[in-house]
Amino acid sequence: MDEWMNYEQFDRQTWHSFFPTNKVRLSQDNLEDIKSLNDRISIQDVQDIYLPLIKLIQLRYQNFLEWQMQKANFLRQSVHRVPYIIGIAGSVAVGKSTIARLLSILLNKLLPDKRVELMTTDGFLYPNAELKKRGIMDRKGFPESYDMERLLKFLNDVKAGEPELKAPTYSHQIYDVQLDRPQLIEQPDILIVEGINTLQLPMNQRLYVSDYFDLSLYVDADPDLIEQWYLQRFGMLLDTAFTDPSNYYYPYSQGSRDEAFKMARDVWRRVDLPNLEEFILPTKNRANVILHKTVGHVVDRVYLRRD
C-alpha cells in the first residue's frame, strides 16, 4: 500500500500559492533568536511554508470554535473554554523545536486576543536517576523512558480547563529533567506540544497522547540527513560547553574531538536511529500535516491528510 495515498502532496511553490502573502512581520534576527543550534530558517521559508500553514491552522481553529458553540447550543449548555492542542512530532535533531517556536510566535501575531503556549514532552522523561534505577539509561527517548501516565493526565487536565498546571521541564545543558523548574500553563486557548513521542502508540494504554490533539504535524527527513544534523548539533554543543563544567557536554569538550564524535556516532546508531526506525517513523502517517525537509533544513514538500 502506498504510504502517501491518504495525503495530498504539494511542492513548495504550490503550497505557497495557497496563501501568497509576503507580510511576515518578522526579521531574520527574530528567526535567529528562535532557531535551534544548527537549524536553518529564512524569511523565504516563512513566506513559502509557514504562513500558509498558519492560515490552515487558523481555518481549522475557527471550525473547532464553531463546533464547540454548536455542541453547547445543542446540549443547551454554556460554552466552555476548551484548549486547541497542536502536536509536533519527529526525530531528534530534525528541527521540531524551531518549528514549534515559530508557529507559537506566528499564532500570537495572527491571534493577538488568544493565549498561545508552547511546551515540550521532554520534561515527562523519567529523571536520570530513575532511568538508571530501571536500567534503561541507554533507552532514553524510547517509549518506556517516559512517564506516560503523568503526561496523559496532564493533557487531560489541560483539555478539562484546569486554571493552572505545572509541566515538568528538561534541560539539554544538564541532560536531565528539572524537577524544581516547572513551566506554568494557565488556561491557553492554543497549546503547542512538541516532542518525539507525541504520536507514538505506547503499549497497555487505553489513551494515547495524540487523542488529545486537534491537529498534528510530523517533521520528516531522510535518516542519513538527520544523522548529519545530529552530529553538527553535537559539534556546536561541544563548542558552547568547554567553559562550563556543569554542562553535560563539558567532559567531551575537554578531550579528543575525534573520540567525542566517535561516541556521538555510536549513540546515534545504537539509540537514536533504532528509536526513529522502530517507534517514531511508524507514527508519521498518523499526522494531519507532514513537513518534509531536505538538505539545509529546507522544506521541499508538504503533505496534507485527506480528511
Side-chain angles (χ1 to χ4, degrees):
M1 181 183 293
D2 183 358
E3 65 173 330
W4 301 115
M5 68 179 297
N6 293 325
Y7 287 87
E8 300 272 8
Q9 179 180 165
F10 307 102
D11 61 27
R12 189 179 176 102
Q13 183 178 1
T14 304
W15 182 252
H16 172 63
S17 73
F18 297 142
F19 191 60
T21 181
N22 295 322
K23 296 180 180 179
V24 178
R25 291 190 293 177
L26 288 174
S27 68
Q28 188 61 45
D29 285 343
N30 294 145
L31 298 181
E32 292 299 319
D33 288 340
I34 66 172
K35 75 180 183 66
S36 297
L37 277 176
N38 66 316
D39 205 354
R40 298 179 189 174
I41 193 165
S42 68
I43 294 296
Q44 194 67 50
D45 293 328
V46 177
Q47 291 176 357
D48 291 350
I49 301 297
Y50 297 103
L51 289 183
L53 177 59
I54 285 292
K55 184 62 178 178
L56 179 69
I57 293 173
Q58 181 191 25
L59 292 172
R60 291 187 61 123
Y61 181 54
Q62 288 173 342
N63 289 337
F64 171 82
L65 293 178
E66 289 172 7
W67 164 241
Q68 297 301 321
M69 185 178 298
Q70 291 170 358
K71 182 174 67 172
N73 289 338
F74 178 75
L75 297 174
R76 299 176 184 175
Q77 298 174 344
S78 59
V79 179
H80 296 290
R81 184 185 195 178
V82 180
Y84 187 82
I85 303 183
I86 300 170
I88 302 180
S91 171
V92 298
V94 80
K96 300 183 306 300
S97 298
T98 297
I99 292 173
R101 286 191 289 267
L102 177 60
L103 293 185
S104 176
I105 289 171
L106 292 175
L107 283 170
N108 270 302
K109 288 181 177 294
L110 181 68
L111 305 168
D113 60 326
K114 301 297 182 182
R115 186 180 184 90
V116 181
E117 297 205 35
L118 165 65
M119 59 166 283
T120 174
T121 61
D122 288 350
F124 290 89
L125 282 161
Y126 288 114
N128 288 350
E130 179 65 22
L131 294 176
K132 291 174 183 175
K133 180 181 176 182
R134 296 181 180 217
I136 56 172
M137 192 65 184
D138 283 348
R139 301 277 293 177
K140 192 171 188 176
F142 283 74
E144 64 267 31
S145 66
Y146 287 90
D147 189 342
M148 294 303 295
E149 287 190 12
R150 187 180 183 188
L151 176 55
L152 289 168
K153 183 182 184 307
F154 178 86
L155 291 173
N156 188 70
D157 289 344
V158 170
K159 273 295 187 184
E162 289 292 327
E164 185 175 292
L165 292 166
K166 292 182 179 180
T169 61
Y170 185 88
S171 169
H172 289 276
Q173 182 176 1
I174 63 171
Y175 197 61
D176 203 355
V177 177
Q178 301 179 113
L179 296 176
D180 59 340
R181 299 186 64 183
Q183 176 186 356
L184 198 61
I185 304 292
E186 300 179 277
Q187 290 188 307
D189 294 291
I190 299 175
L191 176 64
I192 300 172
V193 181
E194 175 259 314
I196 63 174
N197 65 328
T198 54
L199 296 177
Q200 284 176 11
L201 301 175
M203 299 295 289
N204 304 318
Q205 292 282 356
R206 290 173 297 171
L207 287 173
Y208 306 133
V209 174
S210 57
D211 288 342
Y212 293 97
F213 295 159
D214 301 291
L215 177 72
S216 55
L217 280 72
Y218 184 94
V219 187
D220 190 30
D222 183 275
D224 288 339
L225 262 184
I226 300 175
E227 180 182 8
Q228 291 178 28
W229 298 337
Y230 174 86
L231 293 173
Q232 288 170 3
R233 185 178 72 175
F234 178 76
M236 298 179 80
L237 287 168
L238 291 185
D239 293 340
T240 58
F242 72 96
T243 60
D244 182 7
S246 69
N247 192 300
Y248 173 80
Y249 295 92
Y250 177 80
Y252 301 108
S253 70
Q254 301 303 299
S256 164
R257 200 168 178 91
D258 287 343
E259 286 299 313
F261 272 93
K262 182 179 178 182
M263 181 278 299
R265 289 188 187 92
D266 178 65
V267 170
W268 169 260
R269 292 166 187 165
R270 187 170 44 83
V271 179
D272 293 302
L273 181 58
N275 193 18
L276 171 61
E277 293 177 337
E278 296 173 30
F279 297 104
I280 302 172
L281 197 56
T283 71
K284 177 171 66 176
N285 289 340
R286 305 189 73 238
N288 300 113
V289 179
I290 299 172
L291 301 179
H292 182 272
K293 285 186 169 186
T294 185
V295 176
H297 282 275
V298 173
V299 176
D300 62 343
R301 295 193 302 277
V302 177
Y303 298 86
L304 182 62
R305 178 178 280 281
R306 305 175 192 268
D307 58 11

